Amino acid sequence: MSATEPDRNAQRYSDPLSCGCSSCRDRILFGKPFDGGKRMDHGVPQQQHPMEQQQQPYHPQHPAMMRLYEVQKQVESLGPQVCTFSGMQSDRDYKRLERELTRLLLDVDQVDTEGKPELQGARKRAAQEVEGLLRYLEENATHPSRLAIEELSDKARQLIDERVVVPQRSGGVTEIGDDLVDTLQELVLRLTQVKTEGRVPLRKARYRALTRLCAVQDVLEGRTQQQTLSLPLSGETHESVNRINQVMVKVSVARSQLVALLMGLSGRDSCAHLSRILTEMQVELDALDVSGNAAIRNYRKQVVEEINGLLKHLDLEGEGEDTRRYDLAQNNSIREIEAVRAHVSHLREGVLRHCYMGDLSFRPKAELQSLLTHLDQVDTAKNPCIREARRRAVVEVQAIVTFLDLREALVCRQTGPSEHPSHRSVWLVLGSLSDLQAQVLGFDGKRADKSYMMLEELLTKQLLALDAVDPQGDESTKMARKQAVKFAQNILNYLDMKTDEWEY
């Protein structure tokens, strides 16, 4: 996936006019029109052919040309905003950008070219530039992936509103259980599966949605842990305890307000306002005299840590503006995972090559285990996309390990006259599954390919064959069939993972 930065996109619009000379302005005004973001999503625009840069004779001080230059300057200013806008059509910024671009289009249309071809060409290209920005703005705001991100965000908002925000505002008790946390985790995983096609606005929208939802998860999980403590303490223990207890009540309210802010469910409140309230609580706690009582000091410390945990989530106003955050191709953990995947790919090729030659001596299991250990040590920074990337890398390693284990078991297996016929049938299916797994490991196509459909069909047939095996009461056969079914399902899942075109 290409790494595209907003400042590089902005360079597409700002640099040619920075010097102010007419030759630089002409290259933009008479250059290629905006191409729907294709050049932007790949960084610096491509160089034009010399013939395309050749200007037609015209007077640079002509009123029509001067007006077109003014329009071009405004396009240069709006271009970066359009190319990084990640909202919906209902957003205020979308309506503003659409309104300003439409106004520019009308201004271009009103330019009087006096029937001169060179002026008509300049006006046409200026109009195409503005139209391209309008098209790019609309395409990203209405893209199916953007709508999917918004749908999942709406589900999360509705869930948080019903289970957390409304009970708190009505003075009731907010019940936060494992079911709520698990549902939020499922929504996070579904967000990580949304494809962005490498588009900056879509990557940005997905990152912002994930950031807020993960922050809500962190806040709620922290509260669940807090509920297990034997707090608050009795007011009779120390004169400062009553004041700490009062702060605890305020913290509980602030927690619900923070969740509402993160999910866009707060009306008048702002992150800055809530930050001031939490800071005042810290000052109030810091002023308490709890010297000489270790229990009270620990109590105050826990409340302060709770406040600090809320404050760290209040810096999300500008989250997602830094490309290094939502473009994970620049992330060090992702680079580390990709390096492991490249090593795994090399080992997989070696295993399959020796397997096809009938040589089972190449068994890099120790090396594969060290790669699993390496992946386990990768810092995901609680980023669900990085966690998913690491999980997939782990699955790739485990697929090779299980393939080698089954091959070894098939070679070492010794049959005897006392073996149950049903048990022998299970092992025959396992032999077929091993051959199919080798094909799956080497598969590098798409779901629309005939080879994919063939592999899927053959694996399904093996599952049906296992389902038809009658253990006849034999416990070892029951166990072997159960493991074989799980093995076949894992191969199918691996094939599905290899072809789902997931991106971080």
Side-chain angles (χ1 to χ4, degrees), residues 130-286:
V130 179
E131 288 172 348
L133 284 173
L134 273 168
R135 184 167 57 252
Y136 190 69
L137 178 67
E138 182 181 4
E139 284 177 356
N140 287 308
T142 59
H143 193 282
S145 294
R146 184 64 188 88
L147 298 178
I149 293 170
E150 192 64 19
E151 181 183 358
L152 292 171
S153 298
D154 285 341
K155 288 182 179 179
R157 276 192 288 269
Q158 183 179 358
L159 180 67
I160 293 298
D161 192 36
E162 293 176 353
R163 301 285 297 276
V164 179
V165 178
V166 172
Q168 187 275 326
R169 288 177 177 172
S170 61
V173 178
T174 302
E175 296 183 2
I176 302 173
D178 292 339
D179 59 332
L180 175 59
V181 176
D182 291 343
T183 304
L184 290 175
Q185 181 61 28
E186 181 184 351
L187 291 173
V188 167
L189 292 176
R190 289 175 63 184
L191 272 171
T192 63
Q193 303 295 329
V194 175
K195 296 178 175 60
T196 64
E197 300 177 2
R199 290 173 176 250
V200 169
L202 298 182
R203 288 205 307 265
K204 186 176 177 180
R206 185 181 67 174
Y207 174 78
R208 291 171 70 90
L210 282 169
T211 300
R212 281 154 176 73
L213 196 50
C214 288
V216 169
Q217 272 189 302
D218 196 24
V219 171
L220 296 183
E221 288 174 357
R223 178 172 180 173
T224 303
Q225 296 169 1
Q226 186 73 14
Q227 288 174 338
T228 64
L229 299 174
S230 56
L231 297 176
L233 298 176
S234 170
E236 300 176 356
T237 307
H238 194 279
E239 59 182 8
S240 299
V241 170
N242 282 331
R243 294 180 64 182
I244 300 177
N245 289 342
Q246 292 172 5
V247 174
M248 278 282 289
V249 174
K250 296 178 184 178
V251 170
S252 179
V253 175
R255 189 186 298 109
S256 296
Q257 290 175 341
L258 173 59
V259 169
L261 274 170
L262 292 171
M263 298 307 297
L265 297 169
S266 180
R268 300 178 181 177
D269 294 335
S270 66
C271 288
H273 175 69
L274 185 56
S275 178
R276 285 194 297 271
I277 293 176
L278 290 170
T279 303
E280 289 172 1
M281 294 182 196
Q282 284 183 321
V283 173
E284 183 179 351
L285 290 172
D286 189 58

Side-chain angles (χ1 to χ4, degrees), residues 51-69:
M51 290 298 293
E52 293 175 339
Q53 294 186 7
Q54 183 177 358
Q55 350 174 358
Q56 299 294 331
Y58 67 96
H59 198 285
Q61 300 301 321
H62 192 284
M65 289 308 306
M66 296 303 295
R67 181 57 192 140
L68 289 176
Y69 287 144

Side-chain angles (χ1 to χ4, degrees), residues 230-422:
S230 56
L231 297 176
L233 298 176
S234 170
E236 300 176 356
T237 307
H238 194 279
E239 59 182 8
S240 299
V241 170
N242 282 331
R243 294 180 64 182
I244 300 177
N245 289 342
Q246 292 172 5
V247 174
M248 278 282 289
V249 174
K250 296 178 184 178
V251 170
S252 179
V253 175
R255 189 186 298 109
S256 296
Q257 290 175 341
L258 173 59
V259 169
L261 274 170
L262 292 171
M263 298 307 297
L265 297 169
S266 180
R268 300 178 181 177
D269 294 335
S270 66
C271 288
H273 175 69
L274 185 56
S275 178
R276 285 194 297 271
I277 293 176
L278 290 170
T279 303
E280 289 172 1
M281 294 182 196
Q282 284 183 321
V283 173
E284 183 179 351
L285 290 172
D286 189 58
L288 293 178
D289 180 16
V290 294
S291 58
N293 193 314
I296 306 303
R297 283 201 304 272
N298 289 334
Y299 181 23
R300 183 179 67 173
K301 180 181 177 182
Q302 291 177 14
V303 179
V304 169
E305 289 176 349
E306 177 80 4
I307 295 173
N308 288 333
L310 299 180
L311 280 170
K312 73 178 183 179
H313 295 300
L314 284 172
D315 193 24
L316 292 175
E317 294 270 349
E319 191 72 36
E321 299 302 328
D322 185 354
T323 317
R324 289 171 295 180
R325 294 183 180 274
Y326 60 81
D327 183 5
L328 292 180
Q330 304 178 45
N331 183 276
N332 290 331
S333 295
I334 287 292
R335 289 175 176 174
E336 195 174 351
I337 293 171
E338 288 300 320
V340 171
R341 291 187 65 236
H343 194 175
V344 171
S345 178
H346 175 71
L347 292 177
R348 181 171 57 242
E349 291 174 1
V351 167
L352 293 176
R353 185 169 58 253
H354 284 78
C355 176
Y356 292 144
M357 294 187 300
D359 179 13
L360 298 179
S361 60
F362 183 67
R363 294 181 49 78
K365 290 187 65 174
E367 197 169 354
L368 290 168
Q369 289 295 338
S370 69
L371 291 177
L372 286 175
T373 303
H374 187 173
L375 287 170
D376 188 57
Q377 296 171 350
V378 172
D379 180 20
T380 63
K382 294 187 177 180
N383 186 311
C385 289
I386 299 178
R387 285 203 300 261
E388 177 65 10
R390 185 178 65 174
R391 183 193 72 82
R392 287 168 169 266
V394 168
V395 170
E396 290 183 19
V397 177
Q398 291 175 338
I400 303 175
V401 173
T402 56
F403 173 73
L404 291 172
D405 288 343
L406 181 56
R407 283 280 174 169
E408 183 179 7
L410 288 169
V411 170
C412 299
R413 180 175 124 77
Q414 296 180 354
T415 59
S418 59
E419 183 179 24
H420 197 283
S422 299

